[in-house]
Amino acid sequence: MFKKSANGAALPALYRRFLLAFLLLGCVILFMSGLRSALTHQNFIGKEYSSLTERSQKRLNTQLDAWVTDAKRTVSELEFLRIDQLNDAAKHAKLTAFFTAQAENRNFEAVVITDALHQPLYSNACQTLTFTVIMSQETMSLVSCDQQTATLFHIIELPIWLGEKGTGLAHFAKQITPATLRLFAPNNGASLISYQGKPIESSEGNSRLDEWKRQLNQQTFNNAPAMSLTLSWPNDPHTTLNILKPLPKAEPWWMVVMPPLIVVLLSLGIVWLILGRWMEKQSVRVNLLWSGVQNYAISQDSSKAFPFLKPFADREQQDDISRLGRALVRMIKDVDRSRERDRIFNETLALLEEAVVTIDSDGNLIEASGGWLRLTRLATPTGERFLGYIHPEDREGWLLKSLQLIHNEKDNIHVRFRLNTNQQATPWLEGRFLAHHNEAGVLTLRGALRDVTQSYLQEQQITHMALHDALTGLANRVLLEDRLKQSLLLCERNEQQLAVLFFDLDHFKQINDSLGHKVGDKLLIALGERISGCLRASDTLARWGGDEFVILLPEITDAEAVRTLSDKLINAMQIPILIDENELPVSFSIGVAIYPNDAADIQSLFSNADRAMFHAKSQGRNQACFYSDMDYKDNGKQELYIQNRLATAIKTRQITVHYQPIIDCSSGKPHAVEALARWYDERYGWVSPATFVPMAENLGLICQLGELVLSQAFETLNRWLTNGHTLIMAINVSSRQLFSPAFVPGLMTELARHQLKTEHIILEVTESLALRDVDHAMERLQELQALGFLIAIDDFGTGHSSLAQLQEINADKLKIDRAFVMRIEDDKGHNMVKAVANMATALHLKTVAEGVETEAQKNLLCAMGVDYLQGFYFAKPMPADDCAAWWLTSGDEKAG
Ligand code: C2E
Ligand code: CA
Ligand code: CA
């Protein structure tokens, strides 16, 4: 691996770079040297040109000077010859001889001597004639002796002493021949002389003069590029000397390239030897680092990385790569440590009850702590859609909340949902989530969840408890008031009506007292169920407290609908409720208030319904009373009024006593009368004792009331006894009365005051009262019995006393409640009354049937062996005088 990576990565790149650098360097050097050589050549040519000019000019001047020197020497020789002293002929001959003698090394082709007036005196020339002619015409500087032969001469004019003729001039003509011109031409070059722009002679001869002219114009020489220069002939404007010289040849390309190339290659070699070897070494070290890190990245095992990183451990090595190596080792150790920390942390996390989860932006569960497995009881925790774990009904809630996080609307969210499991008890999870963006901006949701099933259920229970009655599970006041509030708002908007029905269970207290709270509780539960059975789902049944219930009918069409319902409810109660094998007859007093006719707000609705219920009770229980039907509804506060009036009524003796006869079944004759308190109020008319007796008990007026009734009743009885009637009188004794310490003494005082005996009096004690505090009551009753009073258990059948208790009380009479008598004509009622009668016989008790209203009832009761009968069939409770009159007239008839 290492070898491969070493070859494959850094080194080849290093080589490539080296090569590229040297190629570039080579190119640059080549270009520079090319450029330099071109510039040097140009410079060389320039220099060559100026040196050529200088040399040519010098050559020309030297030659001309040499010619002048020659000419001067000739002149001095001539003057030495003293030819001026000779005659013309001799002169001529001497000069000719002179020139002939000099012919061998003659420097000049012609010499002409003229006098001061330029008249030729002597001429030594082959072409003398032409020469002379031209000389006479031209200035004597330069002449051509013959246009055909195109010969050019250079004329040197020197003064010469002519003796008597004075000073003349000696003209020396030097012919410009190819040989002369060759003196002016440079090596390998040529020269050309032109006269008045026309080429006359060249150093190469005059045969190819035009060719030379062309070459001169084109600056070529023998078809090679050449340099040319033009020199003007001294003292002669018509004559020019052209010099041609081939250009020095540029160096061949390889000559230019070779030296830099050699330099580059040499330096490449040297650099490679020095730097390349070193870099190769470093590259190998870098590869070692790479291998170490790569191995660690793949295996995550530092022991596989450290062998590669070992060479860098030496602290002496202070180069960058060594430092990097050591830094990597440190880093790997750090990573190992933090991995270890993570592992420990995760292990600890797994111990938690809570689950820690991470969800990616696609909603996949990507990380989960051990707690998640425990919460979900699932084996494959990650990679799944998180939504799949959530109960279908809770998914929408989760999505909405998680979107708040994703859209940055919230920093964290609180969630609660059920798990989507097959388990029977669906676990509830609760937790917090927050959004996390990593450096790349990728979003994940992280959260901690815990199982809150237990506390959730508790919470549910608490909420339920807060709004429901603990015993019956029905709505409580709080929930009822809330529902009523909502319904009122709806009614207001929709212009509808609603009804509140106040229920009070008749005689519940007795049931509770006699059969115990457990039975009472069961009865309430059963009642709740029975009432609910009569209601619609939208109606609310609430337990108001104790034995009071309230029904809210949120949408009613009219009062009639409520009447139908209340009838239905009362009918439903006709069937006794079976609790622990006790058949409990139940009856209700119902008060109804309707919104908006009877009241406009919650409190008034409740209190008016309550009043109506109170009224129903006062009207003899087991009935419904509509607030709108109450005579005194305008004044509203009836009970308050009655309460306020009661004390006055007692004090002012407004309360009177009516008497209801009790008939002996066997003889058909009146056996006794029951004294029943009556109150006629000017404002409300007759107020039922069922209303004011409990009220007097509550207000602490029961003893006064009792005394009032007693005194009236005893007085009447005394009167009747005095008139010769034999009868006994039943007096109702309420619980407070019975347990009041003043009761027995007061009773005895009144008895004595009216000269009555205890055997004339039956004390009627309700069944529940007798059984409430059995020991205490028993004591009282035994005390009364000992005094000679007869004891009757009133309202028997509603108090659910047991046989054993009845036996203990040892009463004289049992008054079977009207509720049983009412149902005597059906089998069940019949059997029940029969059973009571049989039981009473077994206990040696006399039985009295209350509320006999029909003849059929009378006959059945008699046939069953009931001893005494009481009811409207015989007589209603009447004032004393009416009763006495009835006694005399119709008493016997009816009973018969
Ligand atoms: P109670 O002792 O059960 O009295 C009998 C009640 O039944 C009387 O009601 C009577 O008018 C009524 N009644 C009798 N025959 C019939 C019938 O054929 N049909 C119907 N529907 N009712 C019948 P009242 O007078 O309204 O008395 C109600 C209760 O008030 C009495 O029930 C008694 O518990 C109590 N009470 C009445 N006067 C006194 C009193 O002076 N002292 C005490 N402590 N309680 C009294
Ligand atoms: Ca009674
Ligand atoms: Ca009764």
Side-chain angles (χ1 to χ4, degrees):
M1 174 186 251
F2 161 62
K3 265 282 172 208
K4 188 181 165 216
S5 63
N7 297 337
L11 269 184
L14 184 67
Y15 300 152
R16 272 201 302 277
R17 260 147 227 251
F18 254 112
L19 209 66
L20 204 69
F22 279 106
L23 266 177
L24 265 173
L25 192 70
C27 285
V28 169
I29 289 173
L30 278 179
F31 174 74
M32 291 301 283
S33 54
L35 192 69
R36 200 182 120 77
S37 103
L39 285 175
T40 318
H41 190 64
Q42 206 68 33
N43 201 11
F44 173 74
I45 287 173
K47 272 190 183 154
E48 196 70 352
Y49 184 80
S50 53
S51 95
L52 182 65
T53 314
E54 203 180 308
R55 269 184 284 132
S56 301
Q57 190 70 52
K58 203 173 170 186
R59 238 180 261 146
L60 180 61
N61 291 344
T62 311
Q63 193 56 54
L64 289 181
D65 285 350
W67 285 343
V68 170
T69 310
D70 272 358
K72 279 184 175 165
R73 202 182 62 230
T74 307
V75 166
S76 63
E77 278 177 20
L78 284 176
E79 280 173 343
F80 182 75
L81 285 177
R82 310 217 34 109
I83 53 171
D84 55 309
Q85 293 166 5
L86 301 177
N87 60 28
D88 286 350
K91 201 188 279 175
H92 209 274
K94 202 168 185 183
L95 285 171
T96 306
F98 178 75
F99 285 117
T100 308
Q102 287 206 336
E104 274 311 296
N105 54 349
R106 194 172 53 184
N107 287 323
F108 302 103
E109 274 71 23
V111 181
V112 176
I113 297 167
T114 57
D115 59 14
L117 298 171
H118 286 279
Q119 287 304 312
L121 298 178
Y122 174 75
S123 154
N124 175 289
C126 45
Q127 300 101 340
T128 314
L129 189 69
T130 322
F131 184 71
T132 309
V133 172
I134 290 166
M135 230 175 43
S136 62
Q137 290 167 356
E138 306 280 335
T139 58
M140 291 301 288
S141 58
L142 198 67
V143 287
S144 154
C145 64
D146 189 352
Q147 284 294 331
Q148 273 89 32
T149 54
T151 310
L152 268 179
F153 294 92
H154 177 73
I155 306 295
I156 302 161
E157 215 175 48
L158 290 174
I160 189 165
W161 176 251
L162 293 177
E164 62 196 21
K165 283 186 181 163
T167 303
L169 287 168
H171 304 269
F172 294 89
K174 179 71 188 173
Q175 190 182 352
I176 307 298
T177 59
T180 322
L181 285 173
R182 265 196 293 279
L183 291 174
F184 303 132
N187 285 344
N188 306 322
S191 60
L192 180 76
I193 198 156
S194 306
Y195 183 72
Q196 290 181 330
K198 193 177 172 217
I200 302 296
E201 190 63 86
S202 82
S203 57
E204 306 290 310
N206 59 2
S207 54
R208 287 160 56 213
L209 275 177
D210 290 336
E211 171 67 14
W212 287 120
K213 181 75 182 170
R214 191 183 56 75
Q215 287 200 19
L216 197 66
N217 289 339
Q218 290 176 355
Q219 298 219 334
T220 54
F221 180 68
N222 290 336
N223 295 325
M227 63 174 107
S228 72
L229 59 97
T230 304
L231 299 174
S232 54
W233 201 265
N235 305 324
D236 187 71
H238 305 290
T239 312
T240 50
L241 179 69
N242 296 306
I243 307 289
L244 257 180
K245 185 181 178 189
L247 279 179
K249 272 204 182 143
E251 286 172 333
W253 66 269
W254 53 267
M255 276 296 282
V256 175
V257 168
M258 269 318 262
L261 204 63
I262 288 166
V263 169
V264 165
L265 286 174
L266 267 178
S267 56
L268 176 70
I270 291 165
V271 167
W272 175 247
L273 278 177
I274 298 167
L275 201 64
R277 301 289 299 177
W278 177 80
M279 285 180 80
E280 191 178 314
K281 231 159 137 190
Q282 303 311 321
S283 159
V284 168
R285 298 176 75 208
V286 168
N287 272 303
L288 265 180
L289 290 181
W290 183 84
S291 303
V293 172
Q294 177 78 352
N295 276 2
Y296 183 67
I298 292 168
S299 66
Q300 309 208 334
D301 180 357
S302 53
S303 68
K304 295 212 169 134
F306 285 155
F308 291 96
L309 302 175
K310 220 177 186 161
F312 305 97
D314 184 3
R315 291 195 167 273
E316 296 295 294
Q317 288 182 302
Q318 278 302 331
D319 63 302
D320 291 348
I321 295 176
S322 298
R323 281 205 292 271
L324 177 63
R326 287 196 290 275
L328 281 174
V329 170
R330 273 201 302 280
M331 200 179 79
I332 287 173
K333 283 180 179 167
D334 278 354
V335 172
D336 273 359
R337 266 197 293 277
S338 82
R339 275 226 184 95
E340 179 65 8
R341 263 204 307 276
D342 282 0
R343 193 183 60 77
I344 294 170
F345 180 70
N346 283 331
E347 272 175 18
T348 317
L349 213 61
L351 293 176
L352 292 177
E353 285 304 312
E354 281 82 1
V356 178
V357 293
T358 309
I359 301 162
D360 67 11
S361 52
D362 297 331
N364 295 320
L365 183 69
I366 50 173
E367 264 174 33
S369 71
W372 178 250
L373 295 180
R374 278 195 298 280
L375 286 190
T376 57
R377 289 97 171 162
L378 291 172
T380 48
T382 50
E384 303 266 322
R385 300 273 300 156
F386 186 67
L387 206 61
Y389 293 106
I390 300 178
H391 193 279
E393 285 172 25
D394 298 339
R395 285 179 188 167
E396 198 185 336
W398 158 259
L399 287 174
L400 286 176
K401 286 217 164 178
S402 56
L403 278 180
Q404 288 184 318
L405 266 193
I406 292 167
H407 295 155
N408 258 335
E409 287 164 21
K410 282 197 173 169
D411 290 344
N412 60 66
I413 52 166
H414 178 258
V415 292
R416 182 186 272 190
F417 53 78
R418 280 163 292 175
L419 274 180
N420 186 22
T421 63
N422 308 328
Q423 299 161 38
Q424 273 203 325
T426 320
W428 276 90
L429 300 191
E430 186 187 72
R432 282 198 170 281
F433 275 80
L434 45 82
H436 178 260
H437 294 267
N438 70 4
E439 284 140 31
V442 177
L443 171 92
T444 50
L445 302 185
R446 289 186 183 168
L449 290 164
R450 65 175 190 282
D451 191 324
V452 290
T453 316
Q454 207 62 29
S455 58
Y456 178 79
L457 292 179
Q458 271 168 13
E459 195 182 297
Q460 291 279 86
Q461 217 172 336
I462 290 166
T463 321
H464 189 268
M465 270 162 67
L467 296 175
H468 292 84
D469 172 51
L471 176 66
T472 57
L474 299 173
N476 66 9
R477 283 185 189 212
V478 181
L479 185 57
L480 175 73
E481 279 186 29
D482 187 61
R483 297 238 173 111
L484 181 54
K485 214 182 277 174
Q486 307 296 332
S487 306
L488 274 178
L489 289 174
L490 266 177
C491 280
E492 218 169 298
R493 209 168 37 226
N494 304 338
E495 295 185 349
Q496 274 179 326
Q497 295 186 311
L498 65 78
V500 172
L501 282 75
F502 236 93
F503 273 64
D504 189 273
L505 181 57
D506 297 332
H507 309 302
F508 177 68
K509 199 165 177 294
Q510 286 95 314
I511 297 170
N512 233 356
D513 290 344
S514 56
L515 290 182
H517 287 286
K518 272 195 183 160
V519 175
D521 288 352
K522 284 182 188 170
L523 176 66
L524 288 173
I525 295 168
L527 265 176
E529 284 166 6
R530 191 171 281 187
I531 300 172
S532 298
C534 300
L535 303 176
R536 295 170 301 180
S538 57
D539 301 338
T540 300
L541 171 63
R543 188 171 171 211
W544 189 254
D547 56 349
E548 291 173 324
F549 294 84
V550 175
I551 295 177
L552 165 66
L553 308 175
E555 292 166 3
I556 53 162
T557 45
D558 51 19
E560 274 318 300
V562 188
R563 262 179 231 281
T564 316
L565 177 72
S566 65
D567 289 348
K568 191 174 158 191
L569 284 167
I570 287 175
N571 274 335
M573 295 306 153
Q574 295 304 318
I575 306 156
I577 293 174
L578 188 72
I579 306 276
D580 295 347
E581 290 171 5
N582 295 307
E583 280 204 329
L584 307 179
V586 283
S587 70
F588 269 109
S589 300
I590 305 176
V592 184
I594 292 172
Y595 169 90
N597 297 345
D598 296 342
D601 61 86
I602 295 176
Q603 287 317 319
S604 318
L605 261 175
F606 281 143
S607 71
N608 290 348
D610 190 29
R611 265 175 221 137
M613 187 272 291
F614 204 83
H615 190 72
K617 256 194 185 359
S618 73
Q619 297 299 305
R621 302 172 192 259
N622 203 21
Q623 55 182 287
C625 172
F626 281 66
Y627 183 75
S628 50
D629 296 345
M630 284 162 64
D631 307 335
Y632 44 79
K633 62 183 176 196
D634 297 336
N635 278 315
K637 314 217 180 281
Q638 182 222 21
E639 63 272 24
L640 212 66
Y641 173 83
I642 291 171
Q643 275 178 19
N644 292 337
R645 297 280 296 185
L646 185 59
T648 326
I650 295 169
K651 221 178 272 167
T652 56
R653 295 188 153 259
Q654 268 180 48
I655 293 174
T656 56
V657 181
H658 283 197
Y659 304 92
Q660 189 177 32
I662 297 168
I663 314 298
D664 188 332
C665 232
S666 52
S667 66
K669 292 206 162 55
H671 156 75
V673 287
E674 183 176 0
L676 294 161
R678 286 293 176 267
W679 178 17
Y680 185 83
D681 184 77
E682 291 158 4
R683 194 143 159 203
Y684 291 128
W686 291 108
V687 181
S688 162
T691 301
F692 67 80
V693 170
M695 208 179 268
E697 280 194 306
N698 287 338
L699 294 172
L701 296 169
I702 192 65
C703 290
Q704 288 94 310
L705 176 68
E707 274 165 30
L708 181 63
V709 172
L710 276 180
S711 72
Q712 285 186 36
F714 286 1
E715 196 191 308
T716 308
L717 181 63
N718 174 279
R719 201 168 58 243
W720 285 344
L721 287 176
T722 316
N723 291 343
H725 299 294
T726 49
L727 73 151
I728 47 178
M729 185 163 289
I731 305 284
N732 290 290
V733 181
S734 77
S735 62
R736 288 258 174 110
Q737 235 176 325
L738 182 71
F739 292 115
S740 147
F743 174 64
V744 181
L747 183 66
M748 296 311 291
T749 315
E750 279 299 313
L751 208 64
R753 200 159 65 83
H754 294 98
Q755 293 136 26
L756 293 172
K757 294 182 181 150
T758 49
E759 61 257 35
H760 291 135
I761 308 297
I762 308 170
L763 295 176
E764 291 194 0
V765 180
T766 56
E767 186 196 5
S768 56
L769 165 63
L771 298 172
R772 184 165 67 180
D773 181 354
V774 179
D775 294 340
H776 196 190
M778 203 82 77
E779 212 174 282
R780 263 298 149 86
L781 293 176
Q782 278 166 3
E783 187 188 344
L784 290 167
Q785 274 179 322
L787 287 168
F789 291 105
L790 296 170
I791 304 291
I793 304 292
D794 204 355
D795 299 345
F796 185 78
T798 59
H800 323 289
S801 46
S802 71
L803 202 65
Q805 287 170 321
L806 273 179
Q807 227 168 350
E808 256 180 274
I809 291 167
N810 191 25
D812 302 285
K813 284 181 180 167
L814 208 61
K815 295 189 80 172
I816 302 166
D817 196 76
R818 194 164 69 89
F820 294 93
V821 174
M822 261 166 61
R823 295 170 53 199
I824 192 149
E825 278 160 275
D826 66 62
D827 283 353
K828 227 174 165 189
H830 185 273
N831 291 342
M832 225 147 55
V833 177
K834 180 108 202 213
V836 174
N838 290 344
M839 184 191 71
T841 316
L843 291 171
H844 308 293
L845 289 165
K846 298 282 182 194
T847 45
V848 184
E850 292 184 300
V852 181
E853 290 182 347
T854 63
E855 193 177 1
Q857 288 173 344
K858 183 206 90 172
N859 293 336
L860 279 168
L861 287 162
C862 285
M864 274 177 214
V866 172
D867 301 298
Y868 309 103
L869 304 173
Q870 179 187 3
F872 293 171
Y873 173 70
F874 303 103
K876 292 199 168 181
M878 306 165 275
D881 293 347
D882 295 2
C883 188
W886 178 87
W887 201 275
L888 292 172
T889 55
S890 52
D892 298 340
E893 266 173 51
K894 278 242 174 157

